Amino acid sequence: MEGDTEMRGGPDPELAATMGFSGFGKKARTFDLEAMFEQTRRTAVERSRKVLEARERKEEEQAEKDLRSLCTSSSTSASDAKGTGTTSTQRGKVWSESENSSDDEITPPFKQSLTSAQGPAGDTDDEDDDFIGPPLPPGFKDSDDDNDDDTEEEDNNPVKKIPDSHEITLQHGTKAVSALGLDPSGARLITGGYDYDVKFWDFAGMDASLQAFRSLQPCECHQIRSLQYSSTGDVILVVSGNSQAKVLDRDGFPVMECIKGDQYIVDMTNTKGHTAMLNSGCWHPKIKEEFLTCSNDGTVRTWDINNEKKHKTVFKPRSSQGKRVIPTSCTYSRDGKLIAAGCQDGSIQIWDRNMTVHTKFHCRQAHAPGTDTSCLTFSYDGIVLASRGGDNTLKLWDIRQLKKPLNSAERLPSFFPMTDCCFSPDDKILVTGTSVKRGGGSGKLCFFSRETLQKLYEIEVTDASVVRSLWHPKLNQIMVGTGNGLAKVYYDPVKSQRGAKLCVVKTKRKERPAETLTQDYIITPHALPMFREPRQRSTRKQLEKDRLDPVKSHKPEPPVAGPGRGGRVGTHGGTLSSYIVKNIALDKTDDSNPREAILRHAKEAEENPYWISPAYAKTQPKAVFAEVEPEDDETDKPEWKKRKI
C-alpha cells in the first residue's frame, strides 16, 4: 500500500534513473465520453437553430418584397384607371387572394415591376435571379425555358430518349453472334458466336478500323451461349454448349473451370456439377464471387469462383406432376435475393436464394409448353419480370402476383434459344429483337412501353435475325448481335457517353511500308559473287546445257525381260526371297560330312596361314587327327549295327 501511495503521489527518482526516462508512474488522462457527446449535441443544436433563423429571416424579407411590389403595381394602376369603384373592388379581391395564398407562383411581369420600382437600392444577394433593364418582349423565351420545355417533351415522348442517331458495325465473323457482354464501366465489349470464337473490343484502344484486340476459343468446338462481366468487371463468365462453365479474366486467361458431374447418378443433387449441355448463366449482382448456371440435366446451380470442385446449391425445377423439366434460362433479381428460371414446359419458377426446395413464386402456363423461354430479366425497381418466350411473345409479370401477365406482345418471331430482352436505363422502355428467315426481310429491334407494352419504335438492323440486345445504363448506348456475324452499336453524340464515341473520332492508322515487305532485300551493287542472286536465264539455253550433262540426260533402265541379265533379276523373280529359293536347288555343295568340308581347306591354310596359325606357331603342338576307317568293314557287322542312311 505504501508503495502504491508513493507511486500515486509522484514519480520515483530511482525508478526513473533505472528505466532511463522521466515521467514514469504519472496517472493517465481520463476522458468523459458522456460529457463529450453532450457538448457535441449542444453544438449541433446551436448550429441548426442558427441555420433555421437565417432561413426564416430570408423568407420574411422575400414576403416583404412581394408585398411592396403588389402595393406599387396597385397604386400605379389606380392612377390610370377610369372606373374607380369597380377597379378598387377588383384590386381588393386581388389583394385578399394574394394574402390568403402565399404559395401562388409569381409570374415574370410582377418580377419586372418589382425590379423597376425598387431600383438599384432594392438589390439583394440573389442578383442572378433579378432582371436588369427593360421588360422582355411578349414572345420571348429564355434558354432555360427552352431546356425545360425540351426536358418535358422528352419525358412525355420516351422515343426521343432512344440513342439511335448514329451506329457503328463490328465484324465478329460469319456466323451468328449469340452472346454479348459489356463491363460495368463500359470500356470493353466481348462478343461470342456460333463460330466458337470470343472477341474482345476496347473502345478506348480502337481506331476507325474497328478491329478486335484479342480473339480466342475458350471452349474449343462448343458454341458460345452466354457472356457476362461480373459486378466489378474483373472476370468474365463463359457459358458454352458443354457442361462446364468457365471464368476468364479481363484479358481472356482462364481463372477457373467448373467440374463435370457424374452422369450415372440419378439424383442430380448428389453429383458435384452439371452432366449435360449448359443453357444460360449470370453473375450475382451483389456478391462478386458467385454465379448461376442452368443445364439440360434439369438443374439450376450456384457456384463460388473460389471453389471449382463443387457447386454451392442446387435448384431442381419440377412440372405440375412433379417430373423433371429442363430450365432454358435463369437470372438473379436486382437485389440478388431471388433466382428465376424459365422452363421448357412453359413455366416460370422463382426461388428464394436461401430456400432450395420449394419455389416462392411460380406460374405454370407462362408460355406455350414445349417452347424455349429464351430470356428472363428483372426491371431496375425489382418488381416487374419480363420474359421472352419461344412462342413469339414478350410478357410482363408482377412477381407479387404471378398468375396472370400484366401485358403481352405477340408476333415477335424468335428462332434462337438465346434471344433476349432488356429494360432501358430509366425503366420505362423494354427492348427485344425479332428473327427472320434468310431472304425474308430485315431483323428488327423493337421498343415497347413498359406500362402498356405498346410498340413505340423499331429499328431495321440488318437482313438477318437480331439475337442479342444490350442497353448499357452508363454509356446510354445499345449493343445488338445479329445472325450474320455483326455486332452493331447504336449511340447519340449528345445523349450517349464514351463507348463508341471514343473510337469513331480516331483516324485509321496508316500501314508503314516496312511492315508490308515480306523479305528484306539488301541492295549492294558491288557485292561478292557468293552473295549475288543468280540471274534468270532463258529456258532454251538451260535445256541445251542439261542435254550435255550425262547424269541429267541418262536414259532410265527399261524393265528386265526374261531370266535377267547384268546382275539384275528378272520380273518373275523380282524379290530377294524368290531369288534365294530359286538358287537353293542350284547349290551342289555336299555338307553330309562336315569333317571333310573343313579339311578341304587344310592344305591351303597350312601353306598360307593367315588367322590362327601364326599366333600359335611356336606353342601349338602338332595336330593329330583320327584316321578314317574304311567303310568296307561295315559289311561284316550285323544289321542292327549298320548306320542307317
Side-chain angles (χ1 to χ4, degrees), residues 240-289:
S240 62
N242 62 353
S243 60
Q244 296 171 273
K246 285 189 176 182
V247 177
L248 310 177
D249 63 3
R250 285 180 61 85
D251 296 324
F253 297 101
V255 176
M256 67 93 68
E257 182 179 13
C258 297
I259 192 172
K260 185 177 181 180
D262 189 351
Q263 58 187 350
Y264 297 103
I265 295 179
V266 177
D267 189 0
M268 289 290 103
T269 309
N270 297 327
T271 185
K272 298 180 180 180
H274 288 295
T275 61
M277 180 185 72
L278 298 176
N279 290 322
S280 180
C282 64
W283 286 99
H284 193 284
K286 304 294 184 183
I287 305 173
K288 65 178 183 178
E289 293 90 3

Side-chain angles (χ1 to χ4, degrees), residues 203-211 500-511:
F203 289 119
M206 282 194 302
D207 55 10
S209 61
L210 303 178
Q211 297 294 325
K501 294 170 60 178
L502 300 177
C503 57
V504 294
V505 297
K506 295 182 180 180
T507 58
K508 186 176 180 181
R509 188 175 66 92
K510 295 182 179 179
E511 294 182 356

Side-chain angles (χ1 to χ4, degrees), residues 483-514:
N484 57 355
L486 303 179
K488 292 198 171 187
V489 182
Y490 292 91
Y491 67 97
D492 189 289
V494 179
K495 303 170 187 174
S496 302
Q497 305 293 330
R498 300 189 307 276
K501 294 170 60 178
L502 300 177
C503 57
V504 294
V505 297
K506 295 182 180 180
T507 58
K508 186 176 180 181
R509 188 175 66 92
K510 295 182 179 179
E511 294 182 356
R512 297 178 181 177

